[in-house]
Amino acid sequence: MALQRFPLMMGLLLLITIVGSPANADGPVCPPTPSSTLSREHFPEGFLFGTATAAYQVEGGVNETCRGPSLWDIHCKKYPEKCNFQNGDVAVDFFHRYKEDIQLMKNLNSDAFRLSIAWPRIFPHGRKEKGVSQSGVQFYHDVIDELLRNGIIPFVTVFHWDTPQDLEDEYGGFLSDRIVMDFREYADFVFQEYGGKVKHWITFNEPWVYSHAGYDIGKKAPGRCSKYVNEACPDGRSGREVYIVSHNLLNAHAEAVEAFRACTKCKGGKIGIAHSPLWFEPHDLQDAQDGASIERALDFMLGWHLETTITGEYPQIMIDIVGDRLPRFNATQKKKLINSTDFVGLNYYYSQFSNHLEKPDYSKPYWKQDSLIHWEEKSVLNQSIGSKPLTSALSVFSGGFRKLLKHIKHKYANPEIMIMENGYGEILGDKDSVEVGTNDPNRKYYLQRHLLSMHEAICIDQVKVTGYFIWSLLDNFEWQDGYKTRFGLYYIDFKNNLTRHEKLSARYYKEFLSKGIRPSQIKRDEL
Ligand SMILES: *[C@@H]1O[C@H](CO)[C@@H](O)[C@H](O)[C@H]1NC(C)=O
Ligand SMILES: *[C@@H]1O[C@H](CO)[C@@H](O)[C@H](O)[C@H]1NC(C)=O
Ligand SMILES: *[C@@H]1O[C@H](CO)[C@@H](O)[C@H](O)[C@H]1NC(C)=O
Ligand SMILES: *[C@@H]1O[C@H](CO)[C@@H](O)[C@H](O)[C@H]1NC(C)=O
Ligand SMILES: *[C@@H]1O[C@H](CO)[C@@H](O)[C@H](O)[C@H]1NC(C)=O
């Protein structure tokens, strides 16, 4: 089957025409290179490339290691239609096959791998006093050791959405401020356990998605929202819980970072949050208000959880609009939040047009309305943003990636940025097969374009990006989309014992990474 191809000449676009930027004391130093196809060798020395996953999306082994139930287990059991479950709870069985999968990473010439720790595998009932699973603790030691043995640097996410169900039952999980100290206890435990060998940490993955999708529109677990947002939500209060959950999450982050910085064996490590904003273009170029709405959209999507970790306060625009629905930090909390990250983690997928909203109805509040924005697929002139192949889950617009990186550089005082996720999802539907799924020129094209935009951001705009992770190593469980949206560089044959098959995009990444010097080959004293 021929998938829709992009109507562009790929080779042409991938030539680097600039000659590497001169050395600059404050910015990245890009190697001077003649024009050639983009590869690892055009990036600054020491730049890390890898792939990313999350425990719930790949592990399976739900009844191994005395693992307790998580928020997503119960959500998917209660509402199988909200998880598009077709394959039981095996995910792609990384739990049993991690050695095989680490060989796949090695085959790609990866420098690093991002995984998350499933909280219910460590504290099956959410708190240490209720028991620690030693075999759960050992499982992550085994994975980390296997990565290190293979020369792959582990990046570990402390929380990628698997809240222990017992804490949901006891006090509503992140709806209660009781989560703050429970989270600190858990985070401190994993820092003490793995901090000697793991030097790159992410406290929270996509806080915006966790609170917005879980507590404002009900799309992801625990599926809460007001009836006026979605009739199907069994419970919830849109425009209120979303801010409470993020408030508790931010305090939990700050507590975890305090524990991290007090952890002796963690010295030399870095910690941050993985944010997931879209980029926005004006819906109507002639309308100044649409242009102005972009800054507001980004403050609500990104500043909400990023500015807060720098200044200890929410963006002023959120305080002004959300008013008393937005909880406030007290002096102790503020102090802990200020300067509570070492780098900005960024997950970038796609962009939308931003149309300003004229008449909000604050009797029915919800997050998107608070930002006074409509997201639009098409501009007022009926133009699309980037391109969208038929089977693509989202539009493809790498220009938004570069603009977002520039925005973060300028707005947040030129921080170190690591791309913790970037990737292409496709829905093959009836046509799905090993043959069709492994022939993925659209994913290869997506990656080429985004790597090039990132290169421009680094070498022309001088944005301090130091790492890049593709979402994802393997096709996996995509939350509410179940297994039907595939993001992997390796195809999973769900009909045949979950066998892994290399896609065209995997061969591309491997080729890209085979050029130049791997960070692991740089001798310490040369750095
Ligand atoms: C895990 O255990 C639960 C409860 O005993 C059971 O319902 C489920 O089928 C088990 N899942 C697997 C994959 O073994
Ligand atoms: C801020 O709130 C936290 C959590 O309730 C509390 O422990 C702390 O003492 C408070 N600090 C101040 C200055 O009120
Ligand atoms: C922020 O924290 C880092 C790491 O602990 C420290 O090196 C730096 O001096 C701090 N910056 C400010 C402005 O407090
Ligand atoms: C917008 O463009 C699409 C094709 O991209 C076309 O099918 C549609 O009719 C157009 N709509 C308007 C209002 O021009
Ligand atoms: C399924 O794959 C696993 C892991 O590669 C392997 O150990 C097992 O033997 C396979 N089972 C069958 C029936 O092929």
Side-chain angles (χ1 to χ4, degrees):
M1 191 203 71
L3 299 180
Q4 181 185 325
R5 308 280 166 143
F6 290 88
L8 288 162
M9 293 170 67
M10 293 191 185
L12 198 66
L13 284 158
L14 297 162
L15 290 180
I16 301 182
T17 47
I18 54 147
V19 174
S21 57
N24 175 337
D26 299 325
V29 179
C30 292
T33 48
S35 294
S36 63
T37 303
L38 186 69
S39 75
R40 177 207 285 282
E41 67 184 330
H42 302 106
F43 285 81
E45 199 170 82
F47 194 96
L48 296 174
F49 287 97
T51 57
T53 56
Y56 198 73
Q57 295 177 270
V58 296
E59 278 182 7
V62 292
N63 291 338
E64 311 271 352
T65 70
C66 302
R67 177 184 173 281
S70 83
L71 170 63
W72 274 88
D73 292 328
I74 301 307
H75 177 74
C76 292
K77 200 167 282 177
K78 250 169 96 183
Y79 315 106
E81 73 285 359
K82 290 189 181 177
C83 294
N84 237 302
F85 257 141
Q86 299 155 5
N87 300 282
D89 51 7
V90 293
V92 296
D93 209 17
F94 181 79
F95 182 84
H96 292 105
R97 301 180 194 224
Y98 68 88
K99 286 188 181 162
E100 184 187 334
D101 293 337
I102 288 171
Q103 290 312 306
L104 301 180
M105 298 168 206
K106 217 178 154 182
N107 178 54
L108 291 172
N109 302 308
S110 313
D111 310 311
F113 177 59
R114 177 180 172 207
L115 69 153
S116 75
I117 290 181
W119 189 351
R121 252 193 228 292
I122 303 285
F123 293 172
H125 304 290
R127 267 201 300 281
K128 196 174 174 181
E129 67 184 20
K130 293 182 162 184
V132 176
S133 165
Q134 284 309 329
S135 52
V137 171
Q138 190 56 43
F139 169 67
Y140 294 107
H141 273 298
D142 293 346
V143 175
I144 290 163
D145 292 346
E146 182 74 8
L147 286 166
L148 293 171
R149 250 197 304 281
N150 283 279
I152 297 171
I153 301 166
F155 275 57
V156 175
T157 315
V158 177
F159 179 79
H160 203 123
W161 308 350
D162 17 27
T163 321
Q165 183 60 30
D166 285 16
L167 302 186
E168 290 290 327
D169 295 341
E170 194 178 332
Y171 53 69
F174 280 87
L175 278 170
S176 163
D177 63 6
R178 290 176 62 190
I179 196 76
V180 174
M181 292 320 275
D182 283 348
F183 184 80
R184 180 181 173 132
E185 180 188 54
Y186 155 68
D188 191 32
F189 184 92
V190 301
F191 297 146
Q192 299 297 338
E193 196 64 41
Y194 309 111
K197 43 195 183 188
V198 173
K199 294 297 166 192
H200 297 85
W201 293 90
I202 294 101
T203 51
F204 283 93
N205 181 67
E206 302 189 347
W208 169 69
V209 174
Y210 188 74
S211 17
H212 172 251
Y215 296 86
D216 204 52
I217 58 170
K219 205 170 152 185
K220 287 185 158 77
R224 295 173 65 86
C225 72
S226 297
K227 297 280 180 210
Y228 58 77
V229 168
N230 183 347
E231 266 300 318
C233 283
D235 206 354
R237 285 185 308 153
S238 297
R240 295 178 191 280
E241 291 184 357
V242 63
Y243 298 113
I244 295 168
V245 165
S246 276
H247 192 74
N248 292 327
L249 185 153
L250 283 161
N251 283 324
H253 159 82
E255 289 292 341
V257 171
E258 191 178 75
F260 180 72
R261 290 180 177 164
C263 158
T264 313
K265 59 173 70 150
C266 304
K267 289 284 175 266
K270 287 184 180 180
I271 195 159
I273 291 176
H275 304 277
S276 56
L278 281 64
W279 176 255
F280 294 92
E281 292 285 326
H283 175 250
D284 181 353
L285 277 172
Q286 307 303 317
D287 187 336
Q289 287 211 59
D290 279 3
S293 71
I294 292 171
E295 186 82 12
R296 194 166 65 238
L298 290 167
D299 275 351
F300 268 82
M301 283 190 91
L302 175 65
W304 185 11
H305 304 99
L306 171 51
E307 190 167 321
T308 328
T309 63
I310 299 169
T311 65
E313 190 49 278
Y314 290 111
Q316 190 59 44
I317 188 78
M318 292 188 73
I319 297 171
D320 294 345
I321 297 178
V322 184
D324 59 13
R325 285 182 285 114
L326 189 69
R328 304 302 295 274
F329 300 108
N330 71 24
T332 320
Q333 293 163 334
K334 218 174 257 198
K335 199 159 166 245
K336 291 185 190 210
L337 269 167
I338 291 174
N339 192 22
S340 62
T341 61
D342 300 315
F343 66 91
V344 173
L346 178 67
N347 299 354
Y348 174 77
Y349 288 93
Y350 75 118
S351 299
Q352 293 270 284
F353 291 107
S354 176
N355 190 355
H356 74 279
L357 182 70
E358 297 274 5
K359 293 195 178 73
D361 174 1
Y362 287 129
S363 72
K364 294 174 178 166
Y366 56 100
W367 173 85
K368 198 184 275 179
Q369 175 175 269
D370 285 337
S371 70
L372 303 176
I373 278 152
H374 263 308
W375 298 5
E376 313 272 2
E377 294 271 347
K378 299 270 183 147
S379 74
V380 73
L381 300 175
N382 196 29
Q383 289 160 327
S384 300
I385 201 155
S387 51
K388 192 162 187 281
L390 283 176
T391 51
S392 176
L394 300 165
S395 61
V396 179
F397 182 56
S398 68
F401 188 24
R402 180 173 173 186
K403 289 182 184 181
L404 196 50
L405 288 169
K406 264 172 97 166
H407 168 85
I408 295 171
K409 172 181 173 170
H410 293 300
K411 179 136 188 172
Y412 302 106
N414 197 17
E416 178 179 359
I417 303 174
M418 293 200 209
I419 311 308
M420 300 309 319
E421 292 180 21
N422 175 235
Y424 178 85
E426 63 188 346
I427 304 163
L428 299 174
D430 296 345
K431 304 283 190 320
D432 200 338
S433 67
V434 177
E435 201 190 348
V436 169
T438 52
N439 181 20
D440 62 340
N442 292 331
R443 180 171 291 102
K444 173 179 167 183
Y445 176 82
Y446 180 99
L447 296 174
Q448 287 175 318
R449 291 306 306 260
H450 285 77
L451 286 162
L452 186 58
S453 285
M454 180 173 73
H455 184 268
E456 289 168 347
I458 296 170
C459 297
I460 300 174
D461 308 329
Q462 293 280 288
V463 183
K464 270 194 264 172
V465 187
T466 57
Y468 173 87
F469 290 73
I470 291 178
W471 184 271
S472 181
L473 179 70
L474 311 164
D475 293 333
N476 57 48
F477 174 68
E478 269 303 323
W479 313 107
Q480 76 277 2
D481 293 337
Y483 295 90
K484 75 177 170 54
T485 307
R486 294 181 180 271
F487 272 91
L489 294 176
Y490 288 89
Y491 181 93
I492 300 290
D493 189 351
F494 292 106
K495 298 194 181 109
N496 180 20
N497 194 28
L498 304 171
T499 40
R500 278 79 167 136
H501 298 270
E502 187 181 60
K503 298 185 190 181
L504 177 67
S505 55
R507 287 199 294 282
Y508 162 69
Y509 200 36
K510 175 181 176 165
E511 174 75 14
F512 173 95
L513 293 179
S514 69
K515 312 270 173 59
I517 303 167
R518 291 185 61 176
S520 58
Q521 294 166 333
I522 304 168
K523 289 205 198 84
R524 288 258 158 241
D525 54 4
E526 289 174 2
L527 281 175

